[in-house]
Amino acid sequence: MRRLLRVNPADDYLIRLALKHGLLQHEKLSDFFHVDARTTEAIPAVVTSGLARQLVAQGVLNGPALARAVAAEFELPFVELSGKSVPNEVLASLPRNFVTKYQVFPFGWTDAGLQVAVADPLDLELMDSLAHVAGRPVTTWVAAELDIREAIARCYDQPAHLIDPGAAVETNPGWEEAMREPVEGKEADAPIIKMVHDIILGAVHQRASDIHLEPLERRFRIRYRIDGVLAEASAPAKRHQLAIISRLKIMANISIAEKRVPQDGRVQIALAGRTLDFRVSSLPTIHGESIVMRILDQSQLKLGLPELGFDGEDRVQMENLIASPDGMVLVTGPTGSGKTTTLYSCLHHLNQTDRKIITVEDPVEYQLTGVNQVPVRAEIGMTVATALRAMLRQAPNIVMVGEIRDRETADMAINAALTGHFVLSTLHTNDAAGAIARLTDIGVKPFLVAAALRASLAQRLVRRICPHCKRAHQPAPREIAALGLSAAQVSGAQFAHGAGCSACHGTGYRGRLGIFEIFLVNDHLRDLVYGNASAAQLRQRARTDGMRTLREDGIRKVLAGHTTIAEVASVTIGDID
């Protein structure tokens, strides 16, 4: 059956090019398409357009012949890739995900730089990005699109090819050792790749939780967040900014062509026996794209309650709470206070073969073996509430909701807790008692909160004194007064501080631990919640029943020599007695 399509000016240029080089006859063309007779200027055409693919698929055009015509028209060299053998070091110059996405193929070296075959030499933005991604000069050759696809499948998928930089960063356990070796020969010609690897390795070696790459007006700043505090790292020259950002975006599988809107991606690294997930976020600024890489260390999920900072009575209370067959436990605190780590550690403790655990998260930060994890995808209607509703039909024992943000999610979580499920979730509130006020503020009935909630846990993170340079220390009287310590407490204290050493990079701190406030909902508090009491009233009653505040738990850890007065004072500044 004859199919007629109206041709736009760009495709009109493509057809004229094919006619000019004798690749297409008017009779064949009219069998398939109606060509607009209007005269159009010769404008750059995307030769990998849908029209070109249709003509090749229908046998009207020969793909290699069209590529030769394009090369001749723009005075570019043509390359036939069929059967061409390409060294691994050449393939390693461009990562697998990049060549697949943009249909380009590196096939050789010359004095002028890396030789790359492209299907569309008129994509000027791609041509500009090639040199940045490769980290060296590039010369472009034209090849048929089908030839490029076949060459990628043939060369990049061979078992011997293990040095694709994109794959190495994601899966090669020996990457760290390889980066310690001296760089010689052709690898020395890839400074951008090495710069990016050095930035990541530096962050891992310094135990950073985030890498911040920030374009400023006159320089390119790199900072690591170590134990919750930003510290500036050695940064490359401003001229390398675009190349480094492009390289990171390629690794995270996000578009290097899009620079106007925020984007998110992920990179996974197997490093020294550990799996590290990097969550990558790009944000356009006036001086370029700012990149933040959140380092998600899977090993942190296996921390026990003592390693998190629970000790003594707090540990016993928490173990009893998460052993509950039903009800809800909430973890509260600001962003960066360790709520997610606490939840995952609880799930790791509960993850047994006789229990079914389902989580709904936005996004799924860590992957837990044996746990059913559901990602939120609001764009297709998979909201937290929708996922929760479906999850309950899966008969789980334990449900974890990443965060309760609205009434619908809160209602579903409360209903799950009241129908025989144990529910863990987080809320953004300043203290433990505030969780109840937050739930009632978003519309949950007080009697439902009173019936479902077993406890809420407020937490903060303080830096732990470095064990390598820990020294006995007598704080100044003003520091003691700032925390309201009594003479009896001071007399038996084991005050300490870190003198600063290479292990802690001179900060005196290494690692962090939590300080906690556990609000147990007993019968007295349940009656107050049912009566819609204020957060202040709830807090006062909990204090009467023996609840220890964040500051009081912090003071205990200061007196035991785990952290310093300055740390506790800085994170409990709003703590109410």
Side-chain angles (χ1 to χ4, degrees):
M1 181 178 178
R2 189 180 178 196
R3 181 170 52 148
L4 300 181
L5 299 177
R6 182 164 296 277
V7 181
N8 62 36
D11 287 335
D12 176 65
Y13 178 74
L14 170 64
I15 294 171
R16 291 174 186 275
L17 176 66
L19 291 170
K20 175 180 175 181
H21 288 268
L23 305 177
L24 196 61
Q25 288 77 44
H26 288 84
E27 304 79 39
K28 276 194 173 183
L29 186 65
S30 61
D31 286 341
F32 292 93
F33 299 97
H34 170 73
V35 182
D36 199 326
R38 293 175 300 167
T39 302
T40 59
E41 296 182 359
I43 62 173
V46 179
V47 298
T48 56
S49 66
L51 174 61
R53 292 191 179 102
Q54 271 190 311
L55 293 175
V56 171
Q58 294 282 356
V60 178
L61 271 179
N62 178 275
L66 177 60
R68 286 182 183 274
V70 171
E73 186 73 14
F74 294 98
E75 300 180 351
L76 292 172
F78 172 82
V79 61
E80 175 64 55
L81 296 175
S82 179
K84 183 177 285 293
S85 177
V86 182
N88 279 339
E89 58 265 27
V90 174
L91 297 174
S93 59
L94 293 176
R96 175 70 161 84
N97 57 357
F98 179 83
V99 298
T100 303
K101 185 173 183 177
Y102 295 100
Q103 291 298 292
V104 297
F105 183 77
F107 63 90
W109 304 99
T110 66
D111 293 339
L114 177 68
Q115 295 175 303
V116 180
V118 300
D120 182 9
L122 302 176
D123 188 342
L124 300 182
E125 190 163 6
L126 172 60
M127 298 304 106
D128 182 55
S129 299
L130 272 173
H132 292 307
V133 175
R136 66 200 74 196
V138 169
T139 60
T140 54
W141 295 55
V142 179
E145 185 179 21
L146 181 59
D147 284 354
I148 290 176
R149 286 203 301 268
E150 290 177 349
I152 292 171
R154 184 180 71 253
C155 296
Y156 275 86
D157 293 340
Q158 61 179 319
H161 178 59
L162 299 174
I163 59 171
D164 173 356
V169 168
E170 295 180 12
T171 61
N172 186 0
W175 175 56
E176 181 181 25
E177 287 72 21
M179 287 304 301
R180 289 173 180 159
E181 297 174 359
V183 180
E184 299 175 353
K186 292 177 180 177
E187 286 298 315
D189 297 329
I192 300 303
I193 294 174
K194 185 179 184 304
M195 284 180 193
V196 170
H197 286 184
D198 285 346
I199 290 169
I200 294 173
L201 277 178
V204 173
H205 288 157
Q206 295 188 48
R207 304 171 298 101
S209 60
D210 304 90
I211 306 172
H212 294 252
L213 300 98
E214 303 164 314
L216 305 178
E217 183 178 6
R218 299 182 181 275
R219 65 190 183 101
F220 185 42
R221 182 170 67 179
I222 294 177
R223 294 190 288 176
Y224 298 150
R225 190 180 294 279
I226 304 169
D227 295 332
V229 178
L230 283 171
E232 194 154 344
S234 177
K238 176 74 171 176
R239 66 179 181 274
H240 297 307
Q241 171 183 311
L242 181 59
I244 289 173
I245 289 174
S246 296
R247 172 67 183 165
L248 288 170
K249 291 172 72 176
I250 290 297
M251 288 167 56
N253 199 28
I254 57 181
S255 174
I256 62 170
E258 182 56 74
K259 300 178 175 66
R260 301 164 298 174
V261 297
Q263 297 185 83
D264 295 294
R266 291 184 81 107
V267 181
Q268 189 175 81
I269 297 175
L271 183 63
R274 293 187 300 160
T275 298
L276 299 177
D277 287 297
F278 289 74
R279 198 172 73 202
V280 181
S281 169
S282 72
L283 179 70
T285 71
I286 59 173
H287 299 302
E289 289 179 282
S290 173
I291 300 286
V292 175
M293 302 178 69
R294 169 68 59 87
I295 304 174
L296 306 172
D297 187 353
Q298 297 273 5
S299 65
Q300 297 299 311
L301 305 184
K302 299 180 181 180
L303 293 177
L305 295 180
E307 288 80 10
L308 292 177
F310 291 97
D311 54 15
E313 185 183 347
D314 286 350
R315 177 183 174 183
V316 173
Q317 286 183 339
M318 199 62 190
E319 287 178 344
N320 289 337
L321 282 171
I322 62 177
S324 300
D326 56 19
M328 175 186 286
V329 173
L330 296 174
V331 182
T332 73
T335 300
S337 60
K339 299 187 300 296
T340 300
T341 300
T342 298
L343 284 184
Y344 275 111
S345 295
C346 291
L347 290 181
H348 177 72
H349 179 84
L350 295 169
N351 191 10
Q352 306 293 331
T353 55
D354 61 341
R355 297 168 180 156
K356 178 159 185 172
I357 303 175
I358 306 182
T359 74
V360 55
E361 304 166 69
D362 182 18
V364 174
E365 293 192 349
Y366 300 94
Q367 295 182 21
L368 296 173
T369 303
V371 175
N372 300 277
Q373 295 174 270
V374 180
V376 172
R377 298 182 63 190
E379 69 275 9
I380 62 170
M382 178 62 89
T383 62
V384 175
T386 302
L388 259 175
R389 192 174 292 109
M391 285 160 52
L392 296 181
R393 293 195 288 269
Q394 297 276 314
N397 300 104
I398 299 164
V399 173
M400 193 271 272
V401 182
E403 183 184 347
I404 294 176
R405 300 176 182 174
D406 52 53
R407 179 175 178 177
E408 187 178 13
T409 302
D411 283 339
M412 290 297 301
I414 291 283
N415 288 336
L418 292 174
T419 53
H421 307 87
F422 179 60
V423 180
L424 287 164
S425 190
T426 69
L427 274 176
H428 283 282
T429 63
N430 289 328
D431 59 12
I436 293 171
R438 173 67 179 146
L439 288 173
T440 55
D441 284 347
I442 63 178
V444 181
K445 302 297 183 184
F447 73 90
L448 293 176
V449 177
L453 190 64
R454 296 285 178 267
S456 63
L457 169 76
Q459 72 174 68
R460 300 290 187 275
L461 294 176
V462 294
R463 289 184 291 175
R464 192 189 297 265
I465 296 172
C466 175
H468 303 283
C469 60
K470 185 175 180 179
R471 303 286 186 273
H473 170 69
Q474 182 58 41
R478 59 180 176 79
E479 292 181 288
I480 294 174
L483 290 188
L485 297 175
S486 67
Q489 289 175 309
V490 172
S491 64
Q494 303 175 27
F495 291 115
H497 76 149
C501 64
S502 59
C504 61
H505 305 285
T507 63
Y509 298 99
R510 185 176 174 85
R512 289 189 286 179
L513 76 159
I515 58 174
F516 305 99
E517 178 178 288
I518 302 177
F519 181 93
L520 290 172
V521 182
N522 56 28
D523 290 339
H524 295 139
L525 288 168
R526 193 169 288 111
D527 290 340
L528 287 175
V529 174
Y530 187 82
N532 204 19
S534 68
Q537 291 172 312
L538 293 171
R539 183 181 178 85
Q540 183 179 2
R541 178 67 209 196
R543 296 278 284 117
T544 302
D545 291 343
M547 183 186 78
R548 189 165 36 238
T549 67
L550 284 167
R551 175 159 288 193
E552 287 170 343
D553 191 41
I555 289 172
R556 283 199 316 145
K557 285 159 185 173
V558 169
L559 299 177
H562 298 316
T563 188
T564 63
I565 291 177
E567 279 294 295
V568 172
S570 67
V571 301
T572 61
I573 192 169
D575 197 9
I576 304 170
D577 293 331

